Amino acid sequence: MLTDPDQIIDRRRLKRRITAWRTLAIVAAVAALALVVQNQIGDQIGGDHVAWLNVRGIIIESRDREESLRRVAEDDRAKALIVYIDSPGGTTYGGEELFHGLREIASEKPVVAVIGTLGTSAGYLVALASERIFARATSLTGSIGVLMETAEISKLLESIGVSTDAIKSGAFKGTPSPFEPMSEVSRTVVQSVVDDSYRWFVGILAERRGLSSDEARELSDGRVYTGRQALEAGLIDELGSTADARQWLEHEHNISSGLPLRDSFDPDTHEHWVGRLLGLAKKMVFSERLTLDGLISLWHPD
């Protein structure tokens, strides 16, 4: 039995070190086992499949999503892609990026869009990248157009004794600004930016849906359509669900409806937990639409 204090302390230190190394060894073994199991599962599910892309919420640019789409395009085992859309839209750039990514896939394999509750504005732009668009009878789609939102609070600041000033390199730098009324000339400049992006959107609509320019503009006044109205207007191809989309793939492209669906991109798995926590906190304080920069193609009832 140890009675010397120094020996007792050394013995305790040794026990702690042994425990630490044992714990480390167990963790390493579990990690190695998990890797083996993951590889085995990957081999089992690594066969032919139908890729699945869930487009939900506000659409913004995403490097991870873009990379995921590139992998789908290059994966010979992915026989088709189903894009499920439940989105009011988002930034024009985010929608454009996703549109072109889907068109690249469509040059290699079938792409089908299924609109859920909502597929409006940039959400509908995403659907236009597909070979066939499905929606339910009561789905909401359309809202084709572009807007730039701002607020002007100069009178409010003046009422509480606050004045602002800005030194600009040009007359239109920083326009529109919440700190000064928008002049008619500035409004004309901003309107030209919105109009140009609107013409771009309408051009895609006309090309992808086989419409004349006049027909596309007539449908692009910003209104929303139910699935039944969209079908009548030629904005979608068929009323139906994911199951109907799979049946169509089987009939038109001989892609078995029995193939497994594999999620090609889940934003929650590509975002660090700190980012998700900050994002949740931001949503609790601000509406997502208030945090968007640049031109937006978004529908949301006031």
Side-chain angles (χ1 to χ4, degrees):
M1 183 175 181
L2 297 175
T3 57
D4 183 59
D6 291 337
Q7 290 180 328
I8 294 174
I9 293 174
D10 289 340
R11 184 65 176 269
R12 289 177 178 172
R13 287 175 178 171
L14 179 60
K15 286 183 177 180
R16 284 197 295 267
R17 289 173 183 170
I18 292 174
T19 301
W21 280 108
R22 285 176 176 171
T23 302
L24 183 61
I26 292 172
V27 170
V30 171
L33 180 60
L35 183 60
V36 171
V37 171
Q38 181 180 7
N39 289 337
Q40 290 178 345
I41 294 176
D43 292 339
Q44 293 173 1
I45 66 173
D48 292 348
H49 61 276
V50 173
W52 171 275
L53 176 65
N54 195 8
V55 180
R56 63 182 186 271
I58 302 296
I59 299 171
I60 59 174
E61 61 183 291
S62 170
R63 182 181 301 176
D64 290 328
R65 184 184 61 212
E66 191 175 19
E67 178 64 21
S68 296
L69 293 180
R70 184 191 62 78
R71 288 196 296 269
V72 171
E74 296 175 352
D75 189 352
D76 293 334
R77 299 168 300 178
K79 300 304 179 182
L81 172 64
I82 295 177
V83 184
Y84 186 83
I85 302 167
D86 185 12
S87 168
T91 65
T92 52
Y93 182 86
E96 180 184 4
E97 176 190 69
L98 186 47
F99 174 85
H100 287 300
L102 294 176
R103 290 306 301 150
E104 289 182 11
I105 294 175
S107 67
E108 302 292 335
K109 59 198 69 178
V111 175
V112 182
V114 179
I115 296 175
T117 301
L118 200 59
T120 53
S121 298
Y124 179 66
L125 173 64
V126 170
L128 286 174
S130 65
E131 183 178 346
R132 195 164 184 85
I133 304 175
F134 290 80
R136 288 294 195 183
T138 57
S139 298
L140 290 181
T141 186
S143 185
I144 301 164
V146 179
L147 73 154
M148 180 181 289
E149 291 184 320
T150 185
E152 199 270 292
I153 59 173
S154 59
K155 291 183 179 179
L156 173 63
L157 294 178
E158 183 180 347
S159 68
I160 59 175
V162 177
S163 61
T164 64
D165 199 359
I167 301 174
K168 303 180 180 182
S169 59
F172 304 115
K173 182 65 178 176
T175 298
S177 168
F179 304 122
E180 61 183 16
M182 188 184 302
S183 68
E184 288 303 315
V185 177
S186 295
R187 183 177 296 277
T188 299
V189 170
V190 174
Q191 185 67 55
S192 70
V193 174
V194 173
D195 290 345
D196 184 68
S197 294
Y198 170 74
R199 287 191 295 270
W200 163 80
F201 197 161
V202 172
I204 291 177
L205 171 64
E207 177 186 355
R208 296 297 303 153
R209 300 304 301 174
L211 303 171
S212 67
S213 297
D214 289 341
E215 289 172 330
R217 280 194 297 270
E218 185 177 351
L219 294 169
S220 304
D221 58 2
R223 74 182 69 183
V224 295
Y225 302 86
T226 66
R228 297 203 311 168
Q229 291 173 325
L231 180 63
E232 183 178 354
L235 294 176
I236 68 171
D237 298 292
E238 190 172 336
L239 295 179
S241 62
T242 301
D244 297 298
R246 301 210 64 181
Q247 288 295 322
W248 182 84
L249 285 171
E250 186 167 62
H251 294 156
E252 296 296 324
H253 293 280
N254 198 30
I255 297 173
S256 172
S257 58
L259 288 178
L261 281 176
R262 185 177 305 170
D263 200 340
S264 62
F265 175 75
D266 182 356
D268 291 337
T269 64
H270 288 81
E271 187 177 10
H272 191 270
W273 68 270
V274 174
R276 293 200 295 272
L277 185 61
L278 291 176
L280 179 61
K282 182 176 68 174
K283 290 178 182 179
M284 292 173 63
V285 179
F286 302 104
S287 167
E288 276 188 284
R289 66 189 299 213
L290 297 180
T291 65
L292 297 177
D293 293 322
L295 290 171
I296 61 176
S297 183
L298 180 73
W299 177 81
H300 196 287
D302 292 326

